[in-house]
């Protein structure tokens, strides 16, 4: 046995999510498993099963791994009867949906992560099974070599087809011991030092004069230099869509001129389409500075000097059809149009939205009671529609706005008054998801969501009131934008923030609505110029908004918080050195912050998630503490709101057995009370939302099995 495969095989033994399943040698350890939406899958039925590890938390290698499988040879495997399953270690629906949308994943993702860590010293990779027996296993394999190993066991599988973006192409080339970097004959660049910043270099280097025809056919190629010094670049001019001259770069109907241009792109190797070609070139003297943008297939930039480096001019994703690549219909320009773009509603809805029959059940349930005291919460639930990922915005006593998405029908908004909910669809049957809400003017509300437009997800905002208005908020059209949140400051300013998926990380941006216009797009400054921040949350606060996020880079990973007023941001504070899914709520005098966190995280030992809480009353954040009474098991995605009496309400999803339940605790003058169960104990209740206005408190969640579930909103009253 190849010794290098041993770690991957050992890792793959723990890949399957049923708690009762344990590794049993080189066989499928489970006959069936549960996916992200609660659907159970028979893993013994297909003759061929390919398990592909995916990771929603931003691990670049893991993310690119699943994307490569889905994009480059998922169809080829399906043609010969291979059923592909993903496995995720976090399994939070709220985060995984962003990952699924971003990477266009259409196969089931198996969840229930804790058993995956049992006996597993690291992260799993891929495994191929035939009639229950494992034929292939690897750990974190990104390149075509993984697919080559699969092909060795399957007849008729089409060859590997390289795919973008640049980051994936570069990772694949870098991992390949047989990859070849070709420098120009006249270059003054030392090949041994050119990639000195990389920790591991596996590829070979040659000058152009040394390259043979066999080299071109055999290798992944990385060609570096200018046309005047590298003959391969001159030969490639007839095989790739870019024509590079001494002082111009032409592509399609566009020509950029100057002796300070840089170009980088990935393309199938013209001499062997099962291998990659990456080109780094430019006009004028060759510069070592990187044009590189890992989220794109090609980037053209202009040199702004050694301090500033390259300034991007245009970039794009190639069109790919059945292995053939071509330029997109238009290059994506980096110059931004800052004024908001007003758009009409989809034609099948009209300005008034699309009416939907009223759905609701005003019957009162038996009060949920805290067994430790006489305190109880009276729960009044109603099913407002079908879909998932609800959002809430209280609009006064006995009145609340709710929004949710339906995977086939788009975004819905409902107005709850008393015991009834009147709903309307505000988009067409489009790929839109994850709505957010806040109160608006004249009794209306603001709503924002992520919607797929021209092969990328954009942030769309609308005001629902006397006249429906709609704006396109995010303005970098070839990047995915997701996870919006809305908040209205006490001066009436509307704050809208979202995450932009750049390469393998997510960067927060925001705009404000004031005096009838949107501000320019800006990056949340306290997350750093190149910072990645996930799982963010915002709320109204004194003189502006409060904002919390999980920082990944460049600050140490942890939960951070800051305040913003009139586009001025306070210095961020690290509230906790770990955790995810923060939720923040504020009054004039204090701010509450909750999040979920493992009490230690050291695979392979499974450790339950707990809910943590901190409080700010003007003199700093209190030390993070577990939420009192938090039950054993999995506790996830907490949300917090503060009512008019100053009570902090926390709701979260909990699992300690077969079903997920919605729990709620309250902090008042006597301290913490609860938790109590506020959902149906026989239904899986996930993805909570919470809102409070006056003495009214509302909690929402989706419940059921499958991608379309019941959206439930419950009003809560203490007794």
């Amino acid at each position: 046995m190849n010794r290098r495969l041993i770690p991957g095989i050992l890792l793959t033994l723990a890949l399957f999510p049923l708690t009762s399943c344990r590794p049993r040698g080189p066989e499928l350890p489970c006959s069936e498993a549960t996916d992200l939406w609660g659907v159970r899958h028979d893993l013994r039925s297909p003759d061929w099963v390919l398990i592909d590890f995916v990771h929603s938390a931003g691990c670049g290698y893991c993310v690119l791994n699943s994307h490569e499988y889905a994009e480059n040879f998922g169809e080829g495997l399906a043609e010969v009867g291979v059923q592909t399953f993903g496995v995720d270690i976090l399994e939070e629906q709220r985060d995984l949906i962003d990952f699924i949308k971003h990477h266009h994943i259409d196969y089931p993702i198996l969840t229930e992560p804790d058993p995956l860590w049992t006996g597993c010293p690291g992260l799993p990779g891929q495994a191929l099974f035939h009639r229950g027996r494992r034929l292939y296993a690897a750990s974190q394999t990104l390149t075509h070599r993984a697919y080559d190993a699969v092909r060795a066991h399957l007849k008729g599988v089409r060859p590997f087809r390289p795919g973008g973006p640049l980051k994936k192409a570069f990772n694949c080339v870098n991992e390949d011991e047989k990859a070849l970097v070709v420098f120009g004959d006249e270059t003054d660049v030392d090949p041994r030092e050119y990639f000195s910043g990389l920790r591991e270099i596996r590829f070979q280097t040659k000058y152009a004069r040394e390259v043979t025809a066999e080299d071109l056919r055999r290798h992944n190629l990385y060609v570096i230099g200018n046309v005047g010094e590298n003959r391969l670049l001159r030969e490639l001019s007839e095989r790739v869509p870019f024509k590079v001259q001494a002082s111009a770069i032409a592509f399609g109907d566009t020509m950029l001129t100057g002796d300070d241009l840089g170009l980088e792109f990935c393309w199938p190797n013209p001499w062997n389409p099962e291998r990659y070609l990456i080109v780094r070139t430019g006009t004028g003297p060759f510069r070592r500075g990187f044009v590189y943008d890992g989220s794109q297939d090609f980037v053209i930039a202009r040199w702004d000097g050694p301090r500033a480096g390259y300034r991007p001019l245009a970039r794009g994703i190639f069109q790919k059809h059945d292995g053939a690549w071509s330029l997109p219909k238009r290059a994506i320009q980096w110059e931004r149009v800052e004024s908001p773009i007003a758009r009409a509603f989809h034609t099948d809805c009209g300005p008034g939205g699309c009416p939907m029959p009223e759905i609701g059940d005003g019957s009162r349930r038996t009060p949920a009671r805290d067994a430790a005291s006489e305190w109880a919460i009276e729960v009044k639930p109603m099913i407002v529609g079908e879909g998932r990922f609800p959002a809430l915005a209280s609009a006064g006593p006995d009145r609340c706005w709710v929004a949710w998405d339906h995977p086939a029908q788009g975004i819905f908004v409902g107005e709850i008054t008393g015991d009834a909910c009147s709903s309307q669809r505000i988009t067409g049957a489009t790929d839109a998801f994850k709505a957010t809400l806040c109160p608006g003017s004249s009794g209306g509300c603001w709503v924002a969501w992520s919607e797929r437009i021209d092969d990328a997800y954009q942030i769309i905002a609308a005001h629902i009131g006397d006249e429906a208005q709609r704006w396109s908020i995010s303005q970098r059209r070839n990047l995915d934008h997701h996870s919006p949140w809305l908040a209205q400051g006490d001066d009436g300013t509307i704050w809208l923030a979202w995450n932009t998926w750049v390469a393998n990380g997510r960067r927060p941006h925001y705009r404000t609505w004031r005096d009838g216009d949107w501000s320019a797009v800006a990056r949340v400054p306290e997350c750093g110029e190149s910072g990645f921040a996930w799982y963010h949350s915002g709320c109204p606060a004194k003189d502006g908004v409060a904002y919390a996020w999980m920082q990944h880079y460049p600050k140490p990973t942890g939960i951070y918080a800051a305040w913003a007023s009139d586009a001025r941001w306070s210095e961020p504070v690290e509230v906790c050195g770990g955790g995810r899914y923060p939720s923040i709520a504020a009054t004039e005098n204090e701010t509450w912050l909750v999040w979920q966190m493992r009490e230690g995280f050291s695979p392979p030992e499974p450790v339950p998630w707990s809910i943590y809480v901190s409080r700010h009353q003007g003199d700093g954040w209190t030390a993070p503490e577990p939420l009192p009474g938090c039950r054993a098991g999995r506790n996830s995605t907490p949300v917090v709101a503060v009512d008019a009496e100053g009570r902090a309400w926390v709701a979260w999803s909990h699992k300690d057995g077969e079903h997920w339940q919605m729990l709620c605790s309250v902090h008042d003058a006597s301290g913490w009370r609860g938790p109590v169960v506020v959902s149906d104990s026989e239904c899986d209740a996930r993805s909570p939302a919470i809102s409070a206005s006056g003495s009214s408190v509302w909690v929402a969640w989706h419940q059921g099995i499958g991608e379309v579930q019941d959206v439930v909103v419950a009003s809560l009253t203490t007794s």
Side-chain angles (χ1 to χ4, degrees):
M1 177 183 293
N2 188 332
R3 292 184 179 273
R4 285 182 292 182
L5 289 181
I6 293 176
I9 293 174
L10 292 176
L11 290 175
T12 311
L13 297 178
L15 269 175
F16 297 88
L18 284 184
T19 304
S20 59
C21 296
R22 290 294 181 264
R24 297 194 305 268
E27 297 184 1
L28 275 168
C30 301
S31 60
E32 59 179 21
T34 304
D35 71 12
L36 178 67
W37 307 109
V39 178
R40 298 177 75 81
H41 296 269
D42 182 359
L43 301 181
R44 296 281 181 172
S45 178
D47 276 354
W48 294 95
V49 172
L50 180 65
I51 301 296
D52 180 23
F53 173 74
V54 298
H55 188 3
S56 62
C59 167
Y61 295 99
C62 319
V63 168
L64 293 172
N65 186 39
S66 72
H67 192 195
E68 179 172 329
Y69 273 90
E71 181 179 279
N72 292 317
F73 55 80
E75 293 180 9
L77 293 173
E79 289 171 359
V80 293
V82 176
Q83 173 68 54
T84 299
F85 294 94
V87 174
D88 180 79
I89 65 169
L90 296 181
E91 64 98 13
E92 303 297 354
Q93 294 172 333
R94 186 183 299 179
D95 190 47
L96 270 175
I97 189 65
D98 296 331
F99 173 83
I100 291 169
K101 296 288 189 179
H102 180 65
H103 292 298
H104 311 295
I105 292 177
D106 58 1
Y107 49 77
I109 296 184
L110 310 178
T111 58
E112 298 294 344
D114 283 342
L116 297 178
W117 295 110
T118 304
C120 179
L123 298 179
Q126 303 89 38
L128 176 70
F129 295 86
H130 180 235
R131 296 178 180 174
R133 300 286 296 180
R134 188 182 66 238
L135 297 180
Y136 168 76
S139 174
Q140 297 292 69
T141 301
L142 295 174
T143 70
H144 60 275
R145 290 177 294 163
Y147 188 52
D148 290 340
V150 174
R151 290 175 61 200
H153 301 287
L154 299 176
K155 302 298 183 182
V157 181
R158 70 186 186 196
F160 171 74
R161 293 173 178 173
L166 273 164
K167 182 173 182 65
K168 183 177 68 180
F170 181 78
N171 283 340
C172 290
V173 170
N174 184 34
E175 276 205 355
D176 186 4
E177 295 93 338
K178 297 180 180 179
L180 180 63
V181 179
V182 181
F183 288 89
D185 292 334
E186 306 301 324
T187 184
D188 57 0
V189 175
D190 186 344
R192 295 169 299 179
E193 297 182 359
Y194 189 77
F195 296 101
S196 59
L198 296 179
R199 289 175 295 180
E200 295 183 61
I201 298 297
R202 297 183 174 93
F203 40 68
Q204 309 169 49
T205 61
K206 284 188 177 183
Y207 291 102
R209 63 179 179 272
E210 301 171 331
V211 176
T212 66
E214 178 61 22
D215 288 333
L216 299 178
R217 290 190 299 268
R218 181 181 182 187
H219 296 293
N220 285 308
L221 298 176
Y222 198 157
V223 183
I224 297 174
N226 286 349
V227 292
E229 63 187 31
N230 195 322
R231 68 171 180 84
L232 278 187
L233 292 171
R234 297 191 291 273
E235 294 181 28
L236 284 170
S237 64
E238 301 301 321
R239 300 171 180 258
V240 297
F242 298 98
K243 310 300 180 187
V244 182
Q245 304 169 5
S247 59
I249 297 177
F251 57 102
D253 297 330
T254 301
M255 176 175 286
L256 301 175
T257 60
D259 61 0
D260 53 358
L261 299 174
L263 165 67
E264 185 160 8
F265 65 93
C266 60
W267 192 261
N269 181 343
W271 295 278
N272 182 351
E274 293 187 39
R275 297 290 182 260
Y276 273 101
L277 168 70
I278 300 177
V279 172
R280 179 176 292 170
T281 185
T283 62
F286 180 72
R287 299 175 176 89
R288 181 169 176 165
F290 285 74
V291 184
Y292 177 77
D293 177 359
S295 65
Q296 303 300 301
D297 288 346
F298 69 89
V299 182
I300 303 176
R302 191 178 301 278
W303 182 254
D304 269 357
R307 183 170 182 176
Y310 278 105
R311 173 173 56 87
L313 299 176
R315 62 179 184 175
I317 300 292
F318 294 121
Q319 294 182 343
K320 307 177 182 74
H321 178 69
D322 198 26
W325 292 32
S326 60
L327 282 169
K329 294 180 181 179
R330 63 184 179 91
I332 306 300
Q333 302 298 318
W334 277 44
E335 289 76 10
R336 291 186 277 178
V337 180
E338 299 296 358
S339 60
I341 302 172
R343 295 173 57 106
F345 281 98
H346 289 272
T347 56
D348 60 341
C349 283
C354 305
M356 177 180 174
E358 293 186 5
I359 303 172
D361 178 7
S363 60
R364 288 184 179 271
R365 292 184 48 214
T366 303
R369 186 168 299 278
D370 178 10
S373 70
E374 291 302 314
W375 176 79
I377 296 178
E378 190 173 39
V379 182
K380 188 179 180 182
M382 68 173 71
I383 297 174
V384 298
E386 292 184 335
R388 57 195 184 185
F389 302 115
L392 291 173
S394 297
D398 299 323
R399 185 167 175 262
C400 184
W401 291 94
V402 57
W404 67 92
D405 68 75
H406 187 291
Q409 299 177 19
I411 303 297
F412 289 80
V413 173
E415 183 181 5
I416 300 173
T417 305
D419 296 337
C421 177
S422 177
S423 304
Q424 63 175 332
R425 188 175 67 182
I426 65 169
T427 67
T430 184
D431 187 356
F433 70 107
K434 262 193 179 176
T436 182
L437 287 167
C438 79
S441 59
S442 303
C445 77
W446 287 88
V447 58
W449 63 92
S450 184
E451 180 175 332
R452 189 172 182 181
I453 300 174
D454 297 332
D455 295 325
Y457 288 93
Q458 306 299 321
I459 300 299
I460 307 298
H463 183 264
I464 310 299
D466 296 335
E467 295 183 4
Q469 296 177 283
R470 171 181 165 125
W471 297 266
S472 180
I473 298 298
S474 52
Q475 296 181 339
R476 295 177 70 175
R477 298 292 176 178
N478 58 334
L479 294 180
D480 282 341
H481 310 271
H482 61 92
S483 299
W485 64 259
L486 279 163
Q488 184 182 49
D490 57 7
D491 63 350
T493 299
I494 301 299
W495 294 74
L496 172 54
W498 66 92
N499 270 332
T500 298
W501 203 306
V502 180
N504 297 316
R506 308 172 212 184
R507 293 176 180 168
H509 295 78
Y510 75 98
R511 299 179 75 171
T512 58
W513 172 271
R514 182 183 295 143
D515 300 327
D517 199 6
W518 287 101
S519 66
V521 174
R523 184 178 297 171
V524 175
E526 303 310 334
C527 296
E529 180 64 23
S530 60
F532 292 156
W534 310 330
Y535 319 132
H536 60 173
S537 170
C539 71
K542 184 178 180 180
D543 299 327
V545 293
Y547 182 53
W549 67 94
M550 190 203 89
Q551 184 80 26
H552 178 62
Y553 178 85
K555 301 178 187 296
T557 298
I559 301 297
Y560 286 77
W563 283 263
S565 177
D566 194 26
R568 295 188 299 272
W569 290 81
S570 69
E571 185 71 20
V573 176
E574 182 184 16
V575 182
C576 180
R580 51 175 41 91
Y581 304 114
S583 177
I584 194 168
T587 65
E588 184 175 350
N589 299 317
E590 65 180 0
T591 304
W592 289 87
L593 181 59
V594 298
W595 63 95
Q596 75 178 58
M597 186 169 68
R598 286 180 183 262
E599 297 174 2
F601 184 71
S602 56
E605 295 301 326
V607 181
W609 291 92
S610 294
I611 305 302
Y612 275 69
V613 61
S614 182
R615 189 179 185 185
H616 193 287
Q617 295 179 300
D619 55 353
W621 290 98
T622 60
E625 294 182 353
L627 183 69
C630 191
R631 301 181 180 182
R634 290 191 54 78
N635 298 277
S636 75
T637 55
V639 289
V640 62
V642 182
D643 65 17
E645 300 177 19
R647 296 178 299 183
W649 294 72
V650 179
W652 69 97
S653 191
H654 169 265
K655 184 176 184 180
D656 186 20
E658 184 177 356
H659 295 292
W660 289 89
Q661 298 177 326
M662 196 58 55
L663 301 186
C664 188
S665 288
V666 179
H667 184 278
D668 58 18
S670 301
W672 285 101
R673 298 178 180 269
V676 296
V677 178
V678 298
S679 63
D680 188 330
S681 60
E682 298 301 318
C683 295
D684 281 333
R686 307 288 300 274
S687 191
I690 194 169
S691 186
S693 178
S695 60
S696 298
V697 179
W698 307 81
V699 175
W701 61 86
H702 62 233
Q703 65 182 29
I705 295 176
E707 292 193 45
V708 179
Q709 303 188 8
D710 290 333
V711 176
V712 180
V713 179
S715 62
L716 307 182
T717 306
T718 61
S719 60

